[in-house]
Amino acid sequence: MLVSKEWLEYWPNSQQFVLHRSISDHCAVILKEVSVDWGLKPFRCLDVWLKDSRFKEFVCSCWSSYKVTGGGIFVFKEKLKKLKANLKVWNREVFEDVNQASKEI
C-alpha cells in the first residue's frame, strides 16, 4: 500500500491491516485510522522513588491499609487511585518539588 506524505499528515494514526486469504491467492489490505484514547494514566512512578529505601515499605503499608470491597479489577482500580493520592503527598514531603528541582538544574 502506498500513501503520500499529505495522507500521513492528515491521518497520522492510520495503520495497515492484512486480512487472511480465503478463496483468492491474494490478501485484502485495509487501511484505517486507529486512535485509542486511554484516558488519564493511573499514576506516574518517578525513578527517584525506586532509589529511596523507604518507598517499597511506604507502598506496601498504604496498599494493605486500603479497605475496598467489590470485584477484583474494581478493588485494584480504587486502590491505585488511593495510592496515587498518597504518593503525591509522600513525594512532596520527601523530595519536595522534583519537577522544579529538575528545571533549576
Side-chain angles (χ1 to χ4, degrees):
M1 176 161 301
L2 298 175
V3 295
S4 66
K5 179 181 173 187
E6 291 78 20
W7 173 281
L8 292 174
E9 288 173 357
Y10 194 75
W11 288 292
N13 296 320
S14 58
Q15 292 183 359
Q16 172 182 316
F17 298 92
V18 180
L19 302 180
H20 294 289
R21 274 191 283 220
S22 55
I23 299 173
S24 173
D25 62 347
H26 292 81
C27 294
V29 178
I30 296 176
L31 181 66
K32 65 181 187 177
E33 184 176 29
V34 178
S35 182
V36 178
D37 181 9
W38 298 101
L40 296 175
K41 294 181 180 180
F43 64 89
R44 173 179 34 196
C45 181
L46 302 177
D47 290 341
V48 69
W49 295 349
L50 301 174
K51 294 177 181 173
D52 190 292
S53 60
R54 300 164 289 181
F55 176 70
K56 184 177 179 180
E57 182 182 331
F58 174 78
V59 171
C60 289
S61 171
C62 288
W63 193 266
S64 63
S65 73
Y66 304 143
K67 304 299 177 211
V68 181
T69 57
I73 196 68
F74 175 78
V75 170
F76 182 70
K77 178 184 70 90
E78 292 301 310
K79 283 187 168 190
L80 279 179
K81 282 180 13 182
K82 291 174 184 262
L83 182 61
K84 176 182 179 179
N86 289 133
L87 283 171
K88 281 185 175 182
V89 172
W90 182 78
N91 181 57
R92 236 178 286 123
E93 291 172 355
V94 175
F95 298 103
E96 298 175 358
D97 189 351
V98 175
N99 292 330
Q100 183 60 35
S102 175
K103 288 177 186 176
E104 289 174 6
I105 291 173

PDB file of all heavy atoms in Angstrom, residues 37-62:
ATOM      1  N   ASP A  37      -7.849   6.412  22.870  1.00  0.00           N
ATOM      2  CA  ASP A  37      -7.700   7.329  23.990  1.00  0.00           C
ATOM      3  C   ASP A  37      -7.842   6.518  25.265  1.00  0.00           C
ATOM      4  O   ASP A  37      -8.935   6.084  25.626  1.00  0.00           O
ATOM      5  CB  ASP A  37      -8.769   8.420  23.928  1.00  0.00           C
ATOM      6  CG  ASP A  37      -8.638   9.417  25.063  1.00  0.00           C
ATOM      7  OD1 ASP A  37      -7.625   9.370  25.800  1.00  0.00           O
ATOM      8  OD2 ASP A  37      -9.544  10.251  25.221  1.00  0.00           O
ATOM      9  N   TRP A  38      -6.734   6.302  25.937  1.00  0.00           N
ATOM     10  CA  TRP A  38      -6.745   5.506  27.161  1.00  0.00           C
ATOM     11  C   TRP A  38      -7.147   6.340  28.367  1.00  0.00           C
ATOM     12  O   TRP A  38      -7.248   5.814  29.468  1.00  0.00           O
ATOM     13  CB  TRP A  38      -5.370   4.879  27.391  1.00  0.00           C
ATOM     14  CG  TRP A  38      -4.986   3.947  26.303  1.00  0.00           C
ATOM     15  CD1 TRP A  38      -4.136   4.205  25.266  1.00  0.00           C
ATOM     16  CD2 TRP A  38      -5.438   2.605  26.102  1.00  0.00           C
ATOM     17  NE1 TRP A  38      -4.027   3.115  24.447  1.00  0.00           N
ATOM     18  CE2 TRP A  38      -4.817   2.105  24.936  1.00  0.00           C
ATOM     19  CE3 TRP A  38      -6.314   1.772  26.784  1.00  0.00           C
ATOM     20  CZ2 TRP A  38      -5.037   0.831  24.455  1.00  0.00           C
ATOM     21  CZ3 TRP A  38      -6.528   0.491  26.295  1.00  0.00           C
ATOM     22  CH2 TRP A  38      -5.900   0.033  25.159  1.00  0.00           C
ATOM     23  N   GLY A  39      -7.338   7.634  28.198  1.00  0.00           N
ATOM     24  CA  GLY A  39      -7.710   8.487  29.319  1.00  0.00           C
ATOM     25  C   GLY A  39      -6.494   8.828  30.161  1.00  0.00           C
ATOM     26  O   GLY A  39      -5.358   8.670  29.742  1.00  0.00           O
ATOM     27  N   LEU A  40      -6.771   9.293  31.351  1.00  0.00           N
ATOM     28  CA  LEU A  40      -5.692   9.660  32.256  1.00  0.00           C
ATOM     29  C   LEU A  40      -4.936   8.425  32.727  1.00  0.00           C
ATOM     30  O   LEU A  40      -5.526   7.361  32.916  1.00  0.00           O
ATOM     31  CB  LEU A  40      -6.258  10.400  33.469  1.00  0.00           C
ATOM     32  CG  LEU A  40      -6.927  11.732  33.178  1.00  0.00           C
ATOM     33  CD1 LEU A  40      -7.556  12.285  34.453  1.00  0.00           C
ATOM     34  CD2 LEU A  40      -5.923  12.716  32.620  1.00  0.00           C
ATOM     35  N   LYS A  41      -3.658   8.576  32.948  1.00  0.00           N
ATOM     36  CA  LYS A  41      -2.857   7.473  33.468  1.00  0.00           C
ATOM     37  C   LYS A  41      -3.170   7.306  34.947  1.00  0.00           C
ATOM     38  O   LYS A  41      -3.383   8.294  35.652  1.00  0.00           O
ATOM     39  CB  LYS A  41      -1.366   7.766  33.274  1.00  0.00           C
ATOM     40  CG  LYS A  41      -0.969   7.795  31.824  1.00  0.00           C
ATOM     41  CD  LYS A  41       0.503   8.050  31.683  1.00  0.00           C
ATOM     42  CE  LYS A  41       0.874   8.080  30.211  1.00  0.00           C
ATOM     43  NZ  LYS A  41       2.276   8.317  29.992  1.00  0.00           N
ATOM     44  N   PRO A  42      -3.178   6.055  35.440  1.00  0.00           N
ATOM     45  CA  PRO A  42      -3.473   5.848  36.857  1.00  0.00           C
ATOM     46  C   PRO A  42      -2.520   6.633  37.759  1.00  0.00           C
ATOM     47  O   PRO A  42      -2.939   7.279  38.688  1.00  0.00           O
ATOM     48  CB  PRO A  42      -3.293   4.350  37.073  1.00  0.00           C
ATOM     49  CG  PRO A  42      -3.404   3.745  35.725  1.00  0.00           C
ATOM     50  CD  PRO A  42      -2.952   4.797  34.745  1.00  0.00           C
ATOM     51  N   PHE A  43      -1.252   6.571  37.500  1.00  0.00           N
ATOM     52  CA  PHE A  43      -0.268   7.367  38.205  1.00  0.00           C
ATOM     53  C   PHE A  43       1.069   7.219  37.526  1.00  0.00           C
ATOM     54  O   PHE A  43       1.266   6.342  36.707  1.00  0.00           O
ATOM     55  CB  PHE A  43      -0.164   7.005  39.692  1.00  0.00           C
ATOM     56  CG  PHE A  43       0.318   5.608  39.956  1.00  0.00           C
ATOM     57  CD1 PHE A  43       1.665   5.326  40.068  1.00  0.00           C
ATOM     58  CD2 PHE A  43      -0.580   4.572  40.102  1.00  0.00           C
ATOM     59  CE1 PHE A  43       2.103   4.050  40.325  1.00  0.00           C
ATOM     60  CE2 PHE A  43      -0.148   3.282  40.349  1.00  0.00           C
ATOM     61  CZ  PHE A  43       1.187   3.024  40.455  1.00  0.00           C
ATOM     62  N   ARG A  44       1.979   8.098  37.909  1.00  0.00           N
ATOM     63  CA  ARG A  44       3.319   8.071  37.336  1.00  0.00           C
ATOM     64  C   ARG A  44       4.280   7.687  38.446  1.00  0.00           C
ATOM     65  O   ARG A  44       4.148   8.116  39.583  1.00  0.00           O
ATOM     66  CB  ARG A  44       3.630   9.456  36.795  1.00  0.00           C
ATOM     67  CG  ARG A  44       5.020   9.634  36.325  1.00  0.00           C
ATOM     68  CD  ARG A  44       5.266  11.016  35.783  1.00  0.00           C
ATOM     69  NE  ARG A  44       4.509  12.036  36.492  1.00  0.00           N
ATOM     70  CZ  ARG A  44       4.312  13.250  36.045  1.00  0.00           C
ATOM     71  NH1 ARG A  44       4.795  13.610  34.887  1.00  0.00           N
ATOM     72  NH2 ARG A  44       3.627  14.119  36.733  1.00  0.00           N
ATOM     73  N   CYS A  45       5.257   6.888  38.127  1.00  0.00           N
ATOM     74  CA  CYS A  45       6.276   6.475  39.088  1.00  0.00           C
ATOM     75  C   CYS A  45       7.601   7.120  38.685  1.00  0.00           C
ATOM     76  O   CYS A  45       8.066   6.938  37.564  1.00  0.00           O
ATOM     77  CB  CYS A  45       6.411   4.954  39.104  1.00  0.00           C
ATOM     78  SG  CYS A  45       7.627   4.362  40.283  1.00  0.00           S
ATOM     79  N   LEU A  46       8.164   7.879  39.582  1.00  0.00           N
ATOM     80  CA  LEU A  46       9.442   8.532  39.302  1.00  0.00           C
ATOM     81  C   LEU A  46      10.593   7.612  39.693  1.00  0.00           C
ATOM     82  O   LEU A  46      10.530   6.925  40.707  1.00  0.00           O
ATOM     83  CB  LEU A  46       9.532   9.844  40.076  1.00  0.00           C
ATOM     84  CG  LEU A  46       8.426  10.867  39.790  1.00  0.00           C
ATOM     85  CD1 LEU A  46       8.591  12.085  40.681  1.00  0.00           C
ATOM     86  CD2 LEU A  46       8.433  11.273  38.331  1.00  0.00           C
ATOM     87  N   ASP A  47      11.642   7.600  38.893  1.00  0.00           N
ATOM     88  CA  ASP A  47      12.810   6.745  39.160  1.00  0.00           C
ATOM     89  C   ASP A  47      13.415   7.010  40.531  1.00  0.00           C
ATOM     90  O   ASP A  47      13.891   6.099  41.195  1.00  0.00           O
ATOM     91  CB  ASP A  47      13.877   6.939  38.081  1.00  0.00           C
ATOM     92  CG  ASP A  47      13.454   6.356  36.744  1.00  0.00           C
ATOM     93  OD1 ASP A  47      12.550   5.514  36.725  1.00  0.00           O
ATOM     94  OD2 ASP A  47      14.052   6.753  35.731  1.00  0.00           O
ATOM     95  N   VAL A  48      13.378   8.265  40.957  1.00  0.00           N
ATOM     96  CA  VAL A  48      13.980   8.625  42.233  1.00  0.00           C
ATOM     97  C   VAL A  48      13.268   7.911  43.389  1.00  0.00           C
ATOM     98  O   VAL A  48      13.871   7.611  44.410  1.00  0.00           O
ATOM     99  CB  VAL A  48      13.989  10.166  42.423  1.00  0.00           C
ATOM    100  CG1 VAL A  48      12.601  10.722  42.620  1.00  0.00           C
ATOM    101  CG2 VAL A  48      14.907  10.563  43.553  1.00  0.00           C
ATOM    102  N   TRP A  49      11.980   7.616  43.233  1.00  0.00           N
ATOM    103  CA  TRP A  49      11.249   6.886  44.278  1.00  0.00           C
ATOM    104  C   TRP A  49      11.846   5.497  44.484  1.00  0.00           C
ATOM    105  O   TRP A  49      11.980   5.032  45.602  1.00  0.00           O
ATOM    106  CB  TRP A  49       9.780   6.732  43.929  1.00  0.00           C
ATOM    107  CG  TRP A  49       8.994   7.993  43.848  1.00  0.00           C
ATOM    108  CD1 TRP A  49       9.374   9.251  44.238  1.00  0.00           C
ATOM    109  CD2 TRP A  49       7.679   8.127  43.332  1.00  0.00           C
ATOM    110  NE1 TRP A  49       8.373  10.146  43.990  1.00  0.00           N
ATOM    111  CE2 TRP A  49       7.323   9.490  43.430  1.00  0.00           C
ATOM    112  CE3 TRP A  49       6.771   7.251  42.782  1.00  0.00           C
ATOM    113  CZ2 TRP A  49       6.087   9.965  43.031  1.00  0.00           C
ATOM    114  CZ3 TRP A  49       5.536   7.723  42.377  1.00  0.00           C
ATOM    115  CH2 TRP A  49       5.201   9.067  42.498  1.00  0.00           C
ATOM    116  N   LEU A  50      12.171   4.832  43.376  1.00  0.00           N
ATOM    117  CA  LEU A  50      12.670   3.461  43.454  1.00  0.00           C
ATOM    118  C   LEU A  50      14.033   3.382  44.129  1.00  0.00           C
ATOM    119  O   LEU A  50      14.414   2.341  44.659  1.00  0.00           O
ATOM    120  CB  LEU A  50      12.731   2.849  42.051  1.00  0.00           C
ATOM    121  CG  LEU A  50      11.397   2.809  41.299  1.00  0.00           C
ATOM    122  CD1 LEU A  50      11.609   2.326  39.879  1.00  0.00           C
ATOM    123  CD2 LEU A  50      10.382   1.957  42.020  1.00  0.00           C
ATOM    124  N   LYS A  51      14.768   4.481  44.116  1.00  0.00           N
ATOM    125  CA  LYS A  51      16.086   4.516  44.744  1.00  0.00           C
ATOM    126  C   LYS A  51      16.001   4.805  46.240  1.00  0.00           C
ATOM    127  O   LYS A  51      16.976   4.630  46.955  1.00  0.00           O
ATOM    128  CB  LYS A  51      16.966   5.558  44.052  1.00  0.00           C
ATOM    129  CG  LYS A  51      17.282   5.182  42.627  1.00  0.00           C
ATOM    130  CD  LYS A  51      18.093   6.245  41.931  1.00  0.00           C
ATOM    131  CE  LYS A  51      18.360   5.823  40.491  1.00  0.00           C
ATOM    132  NZ  LYS A  51      19.004   6.868  39.718  1.00  0.00           N
ATOM    133  N   ASP A  52      14.838   5.251  46.695  1.00  0.00           N
ATOM    134  CA  ASP A  52      14.653   5.554  48.112  1.00  0.00           C
ATOM    135  C   ASP A  52      14.302   4.275  48.865  1.00  0.00           C
ATOM    136  O   ASP A  52      13.380   3.560  48.498  1.00  0.00           O
ATOM    137  CB  ASP A  52      13.536   6.588  48.275  1.00  0.00           C
ATOM    138  CG  ASP A  52      13.452   7.123  49.684  1.00  0.00           C
ATOM    139  OD1 ASP A  52      13.090   6.347  50.588  1.00  0.00           O
ATOM    140  OD2 ASP A  52      13.749   8.312  49.883  1.00  0.00           O
ATOM    141  N   SER A  53      15.029   3.991  49.929  1.00  0.00           N
ATOM    142  CA  SER A  53      14.836   2.741  50.681  1.00  0.00           C
ATOM    143  C   SER A  53      13.478   2.677  51.361  1.00  0.00           C
ATOM    144  O   SER A  53      13.002   1.598  51.689  1.00  0.00           O
ATOM    145  CB  SER A  53      15.946   2.587  51.722  1.00  0.00           C
ATOM    146  OG  SER A  53      15.907   3.676  52.628  1.00  0.00           O
ATOM    147  N   ARG A  54      12.810   3.811  51.557  1.00  0.00           N
ATOM    148  CA  ARG A  54      11.507   3.840  52.229  1.00  0.00           C
ATOM    149  C   ARG A  54      10.335   3.598  51.285  1.00  0.00           C
ATOM    150  O   ARG A  54       9.213   3.375  51.732  1.00  0.00           O
ATOM    151  CB  ARG A  54      11.318   5.195  52.912  1.00  0.00           C
ATOM    152  CG  ARG A  54      12.380   5.495  53.952  1.00  0.00           C
ATOM    153  CD  ARG A  54      12.402   6.947  54.314  1.00  0.00           C
ATOM    154  NE  ARG A  54      12.942   7.708  53.164  1.00  0.00           N
ATOM    155  CZ  ARG A  54      13.117   9.007  53.149  1.00  0.00           C
ATOM    156  NH1 ARG A  54      12.798   9.717  54.207  1.00  0.00           N
ATOM    157  NH2 ARG A  54      13.611   9.612  52.100  1.00  0.00           N
ATOM    158  N   PHE A  55      10.580   3.657  49.987  1.00  0.00           N
ATOM    159  CA  PHE A  55       9.489   3.599  49.003  1.00  0.00           C
ATOM    160  C   PHE A  55       8.691   2.299  49.077  1.00  0.00           C
ATOM    161  O   PHE A  55       7.464   2.324  49.179  1.00  0.00           O
ATOM    162  CB  PHE A  55      10.047   3.805  47.594  1.00  0.00           C
ATOM    163  CG  PHE A  55       9.016   3.667  46.510  1.00  0.00           C
ATOM    164  CD1 PHE A  55       8.032   4.620  46.351  1.00  0.00           C
ATOM    165  CD2 PHE A  55       9.031   2.580  45.652  1.00  0.00           C
ATOM    166  CE1 PHE A  55       7.078   4.510  45.348  1.00  0.00           C
ATOM    167  CE2 PHE A  55       8.081   2.451  44.655  1.00  0.00           C
ATOM    168  CZ  PHE A  55       7.105   3.421  44.502  1.00  0.00           C
ATOM    169  N   LYS A  56       9.365   1.166  49.022  1.00  0.00           N
ATOM    170  CA  LYS A  56       8.667  -0.124  48.997  1.00  0.00           C
ATOM    171  C   LYS A  56       7.826  -0.303  50.257  1.00  0.00           C
ATOM    172  O   LYS A  56       6.673  -0.721  50.192  1.00  0.00           O
ATOM    173  CB  LYS A  56       9.657  -1.270  48.839  1.00  0.00           C
ATOM    174  CG  LYS A  56       8.991  -2.617  48.709  1.00  0.00           C
ATOM    175  CD  LYS A  56      10.003  -3.715  48.469  1.00  0.00           C
ATOM    176  CE  LYS A  56       9.324  -5.066  48.360  1.00  0.00           C
ATOM    177  NZ  LYS A  56      10.271  -6.147  48.138  1.00  0.00           N
ATOM    178  N   GLU A  57       8.397   0.026  51.391  1.00  0.00           N
ATOM    179  CA  GLU A  57       7.666  -0.096  52.661  1.00  0.00           C
ATOM    180  C   GLU A  57       6.445   0.821  52.677  1.00  0.00           C
ATOM    181  O   GLU A  57       5.369   0.446  53.132  1.00  0.00           O
ATOM    182  CB  GLU A  57       8.584   0.229  53.825  1.00  0.00           C
ATOM    183  CG  GLU A  57       7.927   0.090  55.178  1.00  0.00           C
ATOM    184  CD  GLU A  57       8.865   0.469  56.317  1.00  0.00           C
ATOM    185  OE1 GLU A  57      10.083   0.301  56.163  1.00  0.00           O
ATOM    186  OE2 GLU A  57       8.348   0.931  57.342  1.00  0.00           O
ATOM    187  N   PHE A  58       6.617   2.050  52.146  1.00  0.00           N
ATOM    188  CA  PHE A  58       5.516   3.006  52.091  1.00  0.00           C
ATOM    189  C   PHE A  58       4.370   2.465  51.242  1.00  0.00           C
ATOM    190  O   PHE A  58       3.217   2.483  51.655  1.00  0.00           O
ATOM    191  CB  PHE A  58       6.002   4.351  51.537  1.00  0.00           C
ATOM    192  CG  PHE A  58       4.904   5.341  51.327  1.00  0.00           C
ATOM    193  CD1 PHE A  58       4.367   6.034  52.403  1.00  0.00           C
ATOM    194  CD2 PHE A  58       4.401   5.575  50.063  1.00  0.00           C
ATOM    195  CE1 PHE A  58       3.336   6.951  52.215  1.00  0.00           C
ATOM    196  CE2 PHE A  58       3.376   6.483  49.868  1.00  0.00           C
ATOM    197  CZ  PHE A  58       2.840   7.172  50.951  1.00  0.00           C
ATOM    198  N   VAL A  59       4.695   1.965  50.050  1.00  0.00           N
ATOM    199  CA  VAL A  59       3.666   1.441  49.145  1.00  0.00           C
ATOM    200  C   VAL A  59       2.969   0.228  49.761  1.00  0.00           C
ATOM    201  O   VAL A  59       1.740   0.145  49.748  1.00  0.00           O
ATOM    202  CB  VAL A  59       4.271   1.092  47.762  1.00  0.00           C
ATOM    203  CG1 VAL A  59       3.252   0.354  46.900  1.00  0.00           C
ATOM    204  CG2 VAL A  59       4.745   2.350  47.053  1.00  0.00           C
ATOM    205  N   CYS A  60       3.733  -0.691  50.319  1.00  0.00           N
ATOM    206  CA  CYS A  60       3.142  -1.889  50.936  1.00  0.00           C
ATOM    207  C   CYS A  60       2.225  -1.509  52.096  1.00  0.00           C
ATOM    208  O   CYS A  60       1.133  -2.060  52.243  1.00  0.00           O
ATOM    209  CB  CYS A  60       4.236  -2.835  51.419  1.00  0.00           C
ATOM    210  SG  CYS A  60       5.119  -3.649  50.087  1.00  0.00           S
ATOM    211  N   SER A  61       2.671  -0.560  52.899  1.00  0.00           N
ATOM    212  CA  SER A  61       1.881  -0.121  54.043  1.00  0.00           C
ATOM    213  C   SER A  61       0.574   0.522  53.589  1.00  0.00           C
ATOM    214  O   SER A  61      -0.495   0.211  54.117  1.00  0.00           O
ATOM    215  CB  SER A  61       2.698   0.868  54.870  1.00  0.00           C
ATOM    216  OG  SER A  61       1.912   1.463  55.857  1.00  0.00           O
ATOM    217  N   CYS A  62       0.661   1.413  52.617  1.00  0.00           N
ATOM    218  CA  CYS A  62      -0.545   2.063  52.100  1.00  0.00           C
ATOM    219  C   CYS A  62      -1.487   1.038  51.488  1.00  0.00           C
ATOM    220  O   CYS A  62      -2.686   1.019  51.790  1.00  0.00           O
ATOM    221  CB  CYS A  62      -0.187   3.119  51.053  1.00  0.00           C
ATOM    222  SG  CYS A  62       0.571   4.597  51.714  1.00  0.00           S
TER     223      CYS A  62
END
